[in-house]
Amino acid sequence: MTLPASGTQQADADLVPALPGEAPQAGAGVVPVTDTMPDPVLPMLAMPSGVASGSVLELQCGRTYQGSLDLAGKSDITVRTAGDCGNAVISPGQAITGWSRHQGNVFSAPAPFAVAQVIVGGEPMRLAHWPSRAQTWAKASASNASSLSYAMPNPDLAGATLVFKPYEWAVEARRINGYSGSTMAVGPTGNINFDGYALGGQVEFYVEGKLWMLDEPGEWAVSGGRLYVWAPDGQSPEGRIWAAPDQDGIRAANSSNITVRDISIYGAANGINALDARNLKAERVRISHSSGNGILNSGGSGLTVDGSTIRFSRHDAIAVKWGGGGETVRNSTIEASGNFGMPTNAHAAINLTAGNGAVVQNNRVTDSGYIGIRVFRDAVASGNTVDGACLVLTDCGGIFTSARDKLPLNTRIENNVIGNVGKAQRLAWALYLGDFANGVTVAGNAVTGSGNGMEILNGFDNTVTGNTFASSTQAHIQIVESGSTASVRNNVFSGNRFTTSGRQEMYRLSSDLGTGAVSRFGSYAANTYVSSSSIFANFNGEALSFAQWRERTGQDAGSTFSAP
């Protein structure tokens, strides 16, 4: 059964509406995604309702449908664009009109709903916050599970959000219920994009969501039923602003065998909310400006994302934080996840935390706030480009896997190109084998221009072969054994090429059990080393030359070392 979209008046054949931000054009087919709002001139169409399981829903090309498409609990449905004039667009939001100057460069207009995100000229705006962006964080005098103490510059905080850093690799949030005597009373937000880490001590924090905090370009706030915006250029937002409520583009929780093809989703909370859904397919889908995640499939399994583009996700682009298994993500472009606005919590641009059998292949992942690609057991991550990761949070990797249960991962990370990972971070690696990772093959990857090339943390039985490492800021290979129990062993490094300049180290090896423990970390053979540094390796705090390294480890006899 095929269901035509409702309200399907035919667009002018000589002026076909394009995707958000594209100039209208005649019959151009599916046009590239951009980051500005849908055409505010054409009226939005009503979202179809009552879609039955087993049906095909066709949405008219080049048109925008307002609201959330409800497929929750449904099965065997295909949603696709009909026609060749550009993707149909789904958005819970709308253009906001009727702007007047409030004061200075701040303009206001009536808010028709509870606003959750604002986009001006394709650029996501920041919810008004204190301190200013230049400072970002304040430091609490004290805090505990239900309160935070700090002498705030304005007592109007009830209903605002407290955002804080319980760890340097995580960001948490609480709702502020009141403020008195320099103390905020706080409670849970109910937002599943945060992990529930405890509040306590002198944490770094900021607050957001009040009009008095709106004090610089690129910010917005709501007060008294009106939306207030300071556009980046200081001009009126009229004709170029899109606002959206906290609503998903497609609601597909507990569904099965849903296919979404050639559809764009703009300005939603989650582009597709598929919690606990099985066998969701997103084919040639374009998701942009999500205040939550691009695709949320935690608790589900069998997700396929193919040939899609996901940009400007506030948290993760693809999130399977629990459950999962059998995911395929390929031939897709992921940009700027967890990396716009003020710092927030993120897990990975492609976040497949705990499922078995994922294939992540031939994707381009750029400018991620935290991890670029995260996979788990029996997984393959191959042929991907990760360019820019760990841009907001530290203790992070461009590609990451771990095995806290210490069971073999049987995972392959191969033939990826990884660069610009965490240059400014204290703890960042292009390749990160964390928490007892074992049984991982890392082969044929090209790593360049990152804080560190690779880390193995308490890992064992891993093979690192045929990779190239260049221009790491600190070290190419870091192996760490932490704790009181010996764990690091049988890691094989062979046939790799390492190039350094300055004082970067080829290897940085350390163990809490002492220098003697470092000698059993692995074997090293047939590698090529090119370096002008006098320090070849950091051996549990001791600087070694290449000759000293070979003598100390009894390894790398057949490897070569030369100046650049």
Side-chain angles (χ1 to χ4, degrees):
M1 176 183 179
T2 299
L3 298 177
S6 60
T8 53
Q9 61 261 43
Q10 183 64 42
D12 187 330
D14 296 323
L15 191 63
V16 177
L19 272 180
E22 292 289 332
Q25 50 191 287
V30 177
V31 296
V33 69
T34 58
D35 297 318
T36 51
M37 69 182 192
D39 190 336
V41 176
L42 285 172
M44 299 178 74
L45 303 180
M47 187 66 65
S49 61
V51 182
S53 294
S55 62
V56 174
L57 172 64
E58 292 189 332
L59 302 180
Q60 185 180 345
C61 68
R63 300 305 301 270
T64 298
Y65 292 78
Q66 185 177 27
S68 297
L69 178 61
D70 188 5
L71 306 178
K74 304 294 180 64
S75 62
D76 304 300
I77 294 173
T78 295
V79 181
R80 67 193 184 197
T81 291
D84 63 357
C85 60
N87 282 10
V89 182
I90 293 172
S91 179
Q94 66 181 62
I96 303 297
T97 59
W99 293 90
S100 60
R101 189 181 300 274
H102 170 62
Q103 62 182 29
N105 292 320
V106 177
F107 291 78
S108 76
F113 42 68
V115 178
Q117 67 169 314
V118 173
I119 305 154
V120 175
E123 181 178 346
M125 300 291 98
R126 302 180 303 277
L127 184 57
H129 54 88
W130 182 93
S132 67
R133 193 180 188 190
Q135 179 178 339
T136 303
W137 302 101
K139 188 172 184 179
S141 303
S143 66
N144 57 39
S146 60
S147 67
L148 182 144
S149 296
Y150 189 91
M152 293 294 295
N154 191 309
D156 178 18
L157 290 168
T161 301
L162 167 71
V163 183
F164 64 96
K165 289 180 69 175
Y167 306 101
E168 58 186 342
W169 42 266
V171 175
E172 268 297 331
R174 299 288 189 272
R175 177 180 172 84
I176 302 174
N177 297 320
Y179 179 77
S180 177
S182 298
T183 297
M184 305 176 202
V186 301
T189 65
N191 188 336
I192 66 170
N193 294 303
F194 297 94
D195 297 313
Y197 291 116
L199 174 62
Q202 294 181 314
V203 296
E204 292 184 312
F205 76 95
Y206 67 87
V207 293
E208 63 180 6
K210 288 292 183 175
L211 181 58
W212 66 263
M213 304 172 189
L214 204 168
D215 59 2
E216 57 188 353
E219 294 184 351
W220 65 275
V222 172
S223 180
R226 294 186 68 85
L227 174 61
Y228 296 82
V229 173
W230 187 340
D233 60 3
Q235 302 302 308
S236 171
E238 191 73 54
R240 57 192 180 120
I241 185 168
W242 196 263
D246 185 23
Q247 294 180 11
D248 300 319
I250 297 177
R251 298 195 299 264
N254 296 295
S255 64
S256 61
N257 304 315
I258 301 294
T259 298
V260 183
R261 182 181 299 128
D262 296 325
I263 295 291
S264 291
I265 303 170
Y266 185 85
N270 299 291
I272 303 175
N273 184 340
L275 286 169
D276 302 312
R278 295 181 293 110
N279 302 323
L280 171 69
K281 292 184 179 180
E283 300 174 349
R284 300 187 301 275
V285 167
R286 293 156 168 84
I287 301 174
S288 182
H289 296 88
S290 303
S291 59
N293 308 279
I295 298 174
L296 178 61
N297 188 219
S298 298
S301 63
L303 171 68
T304 296
V305 180
D306 192 0
S308 296
T309 298
I310 306 177
R311 310 179 77 177
F312 292 123
S313 305
R314 185 76 174 111
H315 297 280
D316 301 337
I318 299 171
V320 187
K321 293 186 284 187
W322 61 86
E327 293 84 9
T328 299
V329 182
R330 62 192 175 201
N331 307 322
S332 295
T333 298
I334 312 294
E335 297 182 17
S337 65
N339 185 33
F340 66 88
M342 292 290 283
T344 193
N345 201 45
H347 297 85
I350 300 175
N351 179 31
L352 311 177
T353 301
N356 293 358
V359 176
V360 181
Q361 195 168 47
N362 299 332
N363 303 287
R364 181 172 178 83
V365 181
T366 61
D367 298 328
S368 304
Y370 195 41
I371 295 167
I373 298 171
R374 179 172 183 168
V375 293
F376 188 48
R377 186 161 280 125
D378 300 320
V380 175
S382 68
N384 303 286
T385 295
V386 177
D387 185 4
C390 312
L391 300 179
V392 176
L393 300 173
T394 191
D395 197 359
C396 172
I399 298 179
F400 175 87
T401 190
S402 67
R404 292 184 178 181
D405 59 10
K406 303 183 184 179
L407 298 176
L409 286 169
N410 301 319
T411 285
R412 301 185 63 85
I413 301 172
E414 54 191 14
N415 302 321
N416 302 284
V417 176
I418 310 165
N420 300 309
V421 175
K423 285 183 177 181
Q425 298 289 2
R426 189 174 70 86
L427 301 169
W429 301 269
L431 295 158
Y432 189 177
L433 275 55
D435 293 328
F436 305 101
N438 68 96
V440 180
T441 298
V442 179
N445 301 285
V447 174
T448 186
S450 297
N452 295 276
M454 178 178 179
E455 179 176 53
I456 298 176
L457 174 61
N458 290 327
F460 52 94
D461 297 336
N462 299 298
T463 299
V464 182
T465 184
N467 304 282
T468 62
F469 295 87
S471 303
S472 298
T473 302
Q474 300 174 39
H476 286 322
I477 303 293
Q478 185 171 7
I479 308 177
V480 176
E481 184 174 68
S482 64
S484 58
T485 303
S487 61
V488 181
R489 62 188 182 275
N490 301 330
N491 296 295
V492 176
F493 295 84
S494 66
N496 302 289
R497 181 179 178 85
F498 302 89
T499 303
T500 68
S501 59
R503 294 179 61 83
Q504 301 97 330
E505 303 153 356
M506 298 291 184
Y507 297 96
R508 178 178 292 184
L509 314 181
S510 63
S511 173
D512 289 345
L513 301 179
T515 301
V518 172
S519 299
R520 62 167 156 73
F521 278 8
S523 62
Y524 315 85
N527 297 299
T528 300
Y529 303 105
V530 179
S531 176
S532 59
S533 175
S534 60
I535 301 174
F536 179 83
N538 182 329
F539 202 77
N540 215 48
E542 181 181 357
L544 301 182
S545 66
F546 181 56
Q548 291 170 325
W549 161 264
R550 290 201 294 187
E551 179 182 358
R552 185 70 62 88
T553 62
Q555 303 282 337
D556 262 337
S559 300
T560 63
F561 180 89
S562 63

